[in-house]
Amino acid sequence: MNSKKVRTRFAPSPTGFMHVGNLRTALYSYLLAKKAGGVFILRIEDTDQTRYVEGAVEMICHILKETGLRYDEGPDVGGDYGPYVQSQRQEIYREYAHRLITTNDAYYCFCDKERLDKIREECRIAKIDPKYDGHCRKLPPEEIQKNLEAKKPFVIRQKMPASGDTIFDDKVFGTIKVDFAQLDDQVLMKADGLPTYNFANVIDDHLMEITHIIRGSEFLISTPKYNQLYRALGWEIPTLVHVPPVMKAAGQKMSKRLGDASYDDFIKKGYLKDAIINYIALLGWSPGDNREIFTLPELVNAFDINNINKAPAIFDEVKLNWLNGEYIRKLSLDEFHQMALPYIKQASYLTPIDVRKVSRLLQPRVEKLIDIPGQIDFIDSVPDYRLDLYAHQKMKSTPATAIQFLKSALPVLNTIDIWNEEHIHTAVFELIDQLKIKTGQLLWPLRIALSGKQSTPGGFIEIAYLLGKEETIKRVEEAIRRLGTEKVAGAS
RNA sequence: GGUCCCAUCGUCUAGUGGCCCAGGACGCCGGCCUCUCACGCCGGCAACACGGGUUCGAAUCCCGUUGGGAUCACCA
């Protein structure tokens, strides 16, 4: 049996939202399968029609493909174990549910919501675990028959042992012991004729010959219920791999409501898909050595479920920022330029600038694409700024020296015929030599005059080149005018 | 609350009885580079939750405490 080909599955429900914890589960499932040369499957768990979101399946398929987590079998790619959408497998579940009734491992339950609520309320008052009381377990066959014929709504419940322990092994958590007494007679088939996740998942995993189940650790406690089902059906229990949750910084589980935890949101903010995948791979898993940068194929190679951590991991966007920056810097200029262009245009569409040059300046300074507009907002026009920006201790610049050197620079700038970085550089540094001043004393005020910003991508020469001669001179003149007429705030 | 699980720097983690007065990374701080910022380079701060055992020896094993997470649906 061990020689069976490894088959793993990612089984999301189409609720229109792929949060990073889910994506990580998909990643681990993919890695585990591919590491073993096995098959990765996508199965859609849409048995709760009330939560179904239009277009969610397409979104899931798209994200998996985009991130490189290509599934070998799935709703849109087919395979020998289909259909891969649970709502299309109703007959299958019905058949097995009835088989369980025949073998006395499950039973019809006709209790309505009111009665169930009452039981729960009674349990609450008695301070015991809320559990179904087994009322319909002992219904006489005639009554069941009568109810069925009367078309009374029913569910099918699983018969759980009333007492005793059950033990199972999990690849990351080890041996887990659970008391049957706290396990409810869970519903297998709902009144609407659809199976619950708890049931469908067991049936499908077996029928699809899943060898390793990778899922969130929130299923750890209910695992014995599934195991009972496997036993009742005479099926082999797959290898269990439960992974701890991904938490939001505050120590709360990641959720849609808590913030931008979805894959889409990160993409919108200008994170690279490879960086996201790389980062979440490291969230709760470690390669064992100190390596941190991995391509997907490298992850496949390095992955080992023995190195999955048991404790919940907190998602750290700051570290993702760094990793994303690493990925951005590794891009070729062309690649980066292509990605950056929309964001550059967002900030500047008036000035006919050398956009490639902007990208070159930006690339080592950008962590996520969405930061770009704010970094180059000075290109179209100088933002409002305070004149005390001209004071810079380390540059040995003050508003007084600034106006003086700006004035000396003006004629020099005017004489530059060929407006490129080389010529601007030569001219400006000749002036610095002449004046016998520190480079910063001239270059700092010039840069401020052009940008109105404390920091910019590139220095004066690069920005001057970008803006062009005319605009540069115009801005320097304006700075001189302001310095000559306005009082410097805070100056004494 | 019952039950299950977990616990190394702020965060992600290495560590599976001696190699650890605990290693890497992010962040933070300092320095170098430098026309600003960033990149890059160098350095620094910073953790075995606590208390008992076991052992010649414990971050590593056991027990308890504390803290955290999960679960108790006709949701997955």
Side-chain angles (χ1 to χ4, degrees):
Chain A
M1 271 316 208
N2 283 337
S3 59
K4 265 200 313 201
K5 183 159 195 152
V6 168
R7 292 170 60 86
T8 68
R9 110 264 124 134
F10 176 52
S13 44
T15 55
F17 181 70
M18 174 82 90
H19 89 81
V20 290
N22 273 150
L23 222 210
R24 191 193 59 172
T25 305
L27 210 213
Y28 288 177
S29 303
Y30 171 86
L31 295 177
L32 176 55
K34 293 306 153 184
K35 173 72 182 256
V39 171
F40 175 56
I41 297 160
L42 172 64
R43 182 177 74 223
I44 302 298
E45 311 233 334
D46 60 345
T47 56
D48 182 3
Q49 72 274 67
T50 62
R51 296 209 307 168
Y52 184 83
V53 172
E54 203 60 45
V57 174
E58 290 70 22
M59 185 206 73
I60 291 166
C61 294
H62 173 256
I63 291 176
L64 290 180
K65 287 172 184 166
E66 178 177 274
T67 51
L69 306 184
R70 297 208 154 261
Y71 40 93
D72 306 290
E73 299 171 22
D76 57 336
V77 300
D80 297 336
Y81 299 79
Y84 293 90
V85 177
Q86 287 185 331
S87 57
Q88 295 166 19
R89 299 168 65 81
Q90 296 184 42
E91 281 313 311
I92 301 172
Y93 309 123
R94 212 161 293 159
E95 180 193 326
Y96 283 103
H98 286 114
R99 186 164 138 192
L100 286 169
I101 287 178
T102 315
T103 59
N104 204 27
D105 290 296
Y107 59 93
Y108 289 104
C109 172
F110 300 94
C111 296
D112 56 20
K113 189 173 178 301
E114 286 66 39
R115 203 180 102 74
L116 261 19
D117 288 344
K118 209 179 112 218
I119 299 171
R120 227 168 269 134
E121 180 62 13
E122 282 164 5
C123 288
R124 196 183 61 78
I125 291 166
K127 286 196 194 305
I128 56 171
D129 283 356
K131 264 180 71 171
Y132 179 62
D133 63 356
H135 174 80
C136 293
R137 257 174 115 132
K138 39 205 185 288
L139 240 41
E142 312 81 61
E143 191 173 341
I144 295 172
Q145 205 42 245
K146 207 181 74 197
N147 285 338
L148 253 25
E149 277 162 17
K151 297 256 192 291
K152 205 170 166 187
F154 67 88
V155 300
I156 295 176
R157 287 184 183 273
Q158 178 183 8
K159 217 175 247 183
M160 293 299 296
S163 62
D165 287 339
T166 175
I167 284 179
F168 66 94
D169 266 312
D170 179 78
K171 276 295 180 193
V172 353
F173 285 91
T175 305
I176 309 285
K177 197 181 103 176
V178 179
D179 194 343
F180 276 131
Q182 64 158 313
L183 266 20
D184 208 351
D185 277 2
Q186 66 173 344
V187 171
L188 265 21
M189 295 296 285
K190 297 182 278 191
D192 63 5
L194 284 167
T196 59
Y197 159 86
N198 298 311
F199 185 50
N201 126 335
V202 168
I203 303 300
D204 288 343
D205 283 342
H206 177 262
L207 261 23
M208 294 181 182
E209 293 180 29
I210 302 301
T211 58
H212 300 252
I213 296 176
I214 295 103
R215 59 155 88 110
S217 60
E218 66 268 23
F219 294 107
L220 221 33
I221 294 184
S222 42
T223 295
K225 295 184 192 172
Y226 312 145
N227 289 171
Q228 282 299 107
L229 252 17
Y230 281 104
R231 282 187 210 111
L233 264 359
W235 294 343
E236 190 188 354
I237 299 171
T239 302
L240 270 6
V241 184
H242 285 90
V243 298
V246 173
M247 315 279 292
K248 192 79 186 169
Q252 264 305 308
K253 189 172 175 175
M254 277 241 177
S255 91
K256 192 178 192 171
R257 272 157 271 142
L258 253 34
D260 304 335
S262 91
Y263 173 82
D264 263 10
D265 290 328
F266 285 111
I267 293 296
K268 278 188 203 125
K269 285 197 234 166
Y271 289 97
L272 274 43
K273 59 182 170 54
D274 292 341
I276 296 171
I277 290 292
N278 193 154
Y279 178 71
I280 62 175
L282 261 17
L283 251 195
W285 169 80
S286 150
D289 57 24
N290 288 330
R291 201 135 98 80
E292 302 217 80
I293 311 277
F294 291 89
T295 63
L296 228 209
E298 286 168 343
L299 282 174
V300 169
N301 191 46
F303 193 69
D304 182 347
I305 50 177
N306 292 315
N307 290 330
I308 295 177
N309 234 75
K310 291 189 248 205
I314 294 171
F315 192 95
D316 182 8
E317 196 159 330
V318 174
K319 183 150 186 178
L320 206 213
N321 286 343
W322 164 77
L323 228 203
N324 203 58
E326 291 286 305
Y327 271 83
I328 283 179
R329 274 167 248 133
K330 276 203 312 196
L331 260 21
S332 71
L333 214 215
D334 277 340
E335 290 170 322
F336 176 73
H337 183 58
Q338 205 171 11
M339 288 181 176
L341 203 51
Y343 294 87
I344 293 174
K345 286 186 169 158
Q346 209 173 305
S348 161
Y349 45 89
L350 299 172
T351 313
I353 49 167
D354 180 348
V355 274
R356 251 186 105 76
K357 174 68 184 176
V358 175
S359 286
R360 194 176 298 133
L361 290 173
L362 245 17
Q363 192 173 4
R365 287 169 245 258
V366 167
E367 281 193 323
K368 43 188 195 294
L369 272 7
I370 202 170
D371 296 338
I372 289 176
Q375 284 179 301
I376 56 170
D377 58 1
F378 61 89
I379 290 180
D380 280 357
S381 66
V382 182
D384 280 338
Y385 68 100
R386 289 159 49 114
L387 292 180
D388 54 9
L389 255 190
Y390 286 101
H392 192 292
Q393 207 173 28
K394 203 173 155 224
M395 296 299 115
K396 294 220 183 313
S397 176
T398 67
T401 62
I403 188 170
Q404 178 193 344
F405 298 139
L406 251 22
K407 279 177 177 164
S408 342
L410 211 44
V412 174
L413 294 173
N414 257 311
T415 59
I416 301 171
D417 291 326
I418 303 166
W419 195 258
N420 62 25
E421 290 181 48
E422 193 192 334
H423 284 93
I424 301 169
H425 186 278
T426 309
V428 166
F429 275 81
E430 271 172 13
L431 178 63
I432 289 167
D433 272 355
Q434 240 174 65
L435 262 27
K436 295 195 175 16
I437 57 174
K438 263 198 67 161
T439 47
Q441 285 185 285
L442 179 64
L443 265 10
W444 175 266
L446 279 172
R447 214 194 93 257
I448 300 296
L450 297 198
S451 68
K453 287 170 82 85
Q454 186 124 33
S455 65
T456 49
F460 164 73
I461 290 162
E462 284 146 323
I463 294 172
Y465 158 71
L466 279 178
L467 295 178
K469 181 172 178 177
E470 191 185 335
E471 181 68 13
T472 298
I473 286 168
K474 209 177 94 195
R475 290 188 187 190
V476 172
E477 283 170 344
E478 170 63 11
I480 292 169
R481 191 195 63 74
R482 282 194 62 189
L483 280 164
T485 55
E486 295 174 30
K487 270 222 281 274
V488 178
S492 50

